[in-house]
Structures are given as C-alpha cells and as structure tokens.
Amino acid sequence: KAGVTQTPRYLIKTRGQQVTLSCSPISGHRSVSWYQQTPGQGLQFLFEYFSETQRNKGNFPGRFSGRQFSNSRSEMNVSTLELGDSALYLCASSSLGGNTEAFFGQGTRLTVV
Amino acid sequence: AQKITQTQPGMFVQEKEAVTLDCTYDTSDPSYGLFWYKQPSSGEMIFLIYQGSYDQQNATEGRYSLNFQKARKSANLVISASQLGDSAMYFCAMREGRSGGSNYKLTFGKGTLLTVNP
C-alpha cells in the first residue's frame, strides 16, 4: 500500500511570506503528526491531529498551525516566515492500538531566504 | 532534563561487524514505547524496531535487536552484520502513555551518525 506522501518536496520562500505543506497519510491511518527537523534543535514535535481534531501541540509559536480533513489528509501552515523556519518538515501517520509505530513521509525541505 | 539521550554523535564500524548504538531515556510514566528510526541522507525516517515498556523480551527485527534494560532506562540498538547501506543517522524515540491513547507524540534523541566502512 502507498506510504505517507508529502508535497512539495522542496520549497524556497521569502521572509514574511506564508507557506502551506501537505501530508497524505497511509490509507486507514487517522493520526497525523508533524515534526520540524533542524541541525541545531534536532527533531521537534509540532502537533498531532486525529479525526480532524488537534490532540497535542508542541512548543511552537502561533505562526505554526495545521488542520486535518475528513479524509485524514493534513496541512500545516506557517505564516510570516522567518529565516529560522528553514528546516525539514516531516509528517508521520499511525493507526491506533498495539505496536503503533509512526510511518514518516520523505519530508518537505523549506528554505526561507 | 532531556527525555532521550544519545551520547554517540558518530560511530564507525567495519562491514560485517556488529555495532551498538546507545540510548537512555527518562520518564515517570509506567507505560511507554521506545522506537528506533533510520534516516538516510534522503531525509525519510524509516522505522526499525519497537519495544514496549511491558514487553518481557527484547525486540528483534531481522538484523536489528533492541537491548532493553528497564531498570537502567536504556534501549540500545544492536545492528548485526553491518552493511554499507546501514550508513545513516539513527534516532531513538519515545512515546509516553498507553498505546492507542490520546497522545501520539514522539520525543527524539539527537541521533547517532553511523558510518560503515568497507
């Protein structure tokens, strides 16, 4: 079955702009979570959605937001981009119950100039 | 305090030899899960192995095994018979709370860069 799909793979934006990243989870998975990866801070949890509801949020400013649609696809939005937002953004999907490993997409590499 | 500590920024191993990547964790939750992921230069996080806090036996998945020492709060990854394709970043991660509960959040360590030499 198809894996987690993130689009676009690469993005270059200018400071002050906003950006929307998309994530399509594995079919049947209802939990989608987002992570930011930078060389300095490593992998940090942004937020998690389940059945269109945000269940958990990391320690990020309000410029970072997300949503989940009824088909479990998720988007995250970053407004008023800053240079420090340059990072690899990873999306993960998981099912519930038992050994619930998270399956990750290939990520979106965002560069803010 | 860091919840996941990986003390080895980089490791080198000869092809066909075994290597152990260290991971210690900190939690007061009696129910948790420990994961290892591999991240090649392409960026994708690849799930390797999982250990639940109540599992009695160490997890194994092919060439990967997890040396789980609960009292010491360590969950080291052992890769047997290393291959050139094993060269990558390796991350230890923890999920606190009951599996299937209302909290799917992974906390990651800083990672270990493994280089397999021919």
Side-chain angles (χ1 to χ4, degrees):
Chain A
K1 60 184 179 184
V4 179
T5 303
Q6 289 189 247
T7 56
R9 291 290 311 281
Y10 302 92
L11 264 179
I12 300 176
K13 290 286 188 178
T14 306
R15 273 180 301 174
Q17 287 186 315
Q18 74 166 18
V19 67
T20 299
L21 312 182
S22 178
C23 172
S24 293
I26 292 171
S27 177
H29 285 190
R30 294 161 64 190
S31 169
V32 174
S33 48
W34 290 87
Y35 296 82
Q36 181 196 64
Q37 186 177 22
T38 59
Q41 299 298 318
L43 280 148
Q44 294 186 284
F45 172 79
L46 280 158
F47 26 65
E48 186 234 352
Y49 287 87
F50 180 79
S51 291
E52 302 178 65
T53 301
Q54 186 183 89
R55 296 198 299 187
N56 215 340
K57 190 177 193 306
N59 189 23
F60 278 82
R63 301 186 297 107
F64 291 81
S65 63
R67 59 178 174 168
Q68 186 180 34
F69 302 95
S70 58
N71 62 357
S72 294
R73 189 178 70 87
S74 177
E75 290 181 346
M76 68 163 279
N77 184 276
V78 188
S79 62
T80 320
L81 284 165
E82 301 177 359
L83 295 179
D85 297 332
S86 295
L88 178 66
Y89 290 87
L90 290 161
C91 165
S93 80
S94 66
S95 60
L96 291 180
N99 175 8
T100 53
E101 68 267 27
F103 295 90
F104 284 80
Q106 290 189 295
T108 294
R109 191 167 295 279
L110 171 65
T111 302
V112 182
V113 299
Chain B
Q2 285 190 350
K3 291 205 169 190
I4 297 287
T5 303
Q6 294 181 253
T7 57
Q8 307 152 313
M11 288 281 286
F12 292 89
V13 66
Q14 287 297 121
E15 194 178 5
K16 300 180 185 177
E17 292 186 350
V19 62
T20 298
L21 306 184
D22 294 341
C23 172
T24 57
Y25 60 92
D26 183 30
T27 181
S28 58
D29 195 324
S31 179
Y32 53 89
L34 296 159
F35 303 79
W36 276 92
Y37 284 88
K38 171 185 177 182
Q39 187 178 41
S41 56
S42 60
E44 183 178 5
M45 298 286 282
I46 302 167
F47 166 76
L48 296 177
I49 197 167
Y50 165 85
Q51 180 86 40
S53 59
Y54 296 116
D55 293 344
Q56 296 296 315
Q57 293 188 325
N58 287 344
T60 60
E61 290 283 352
R63 293 187 300 111
Y64 304 107
S65 60
L66 200 152
N67 184 1
F68 181 47
Q69 298 187 40
K70 195 170 182 177
R72 297 180 58 188
K73 293 189 175 179
S74 77
N76 298 339
L77 176 70
V78 181
I79 306 175
S80 63
S82 297
Q83 302 172 355
L84 296 178
D86 293 335
S87 294
M89 279 292 286
Y90 288 81
F91 291 95
C92 179
M94 176 173 65
R95 178 193 178 192
E96 294 167 282
R98 181 176 55 85
S99 171
S102 62
N103 175 23
Y104 206 106
K105 169 189 172 183
L106 291 174
T107 303
F108 286 87
K110 295 291 187 184
T112 296
L113 180 60
L114 177 66
T115 302
V116 181
N117 294 318

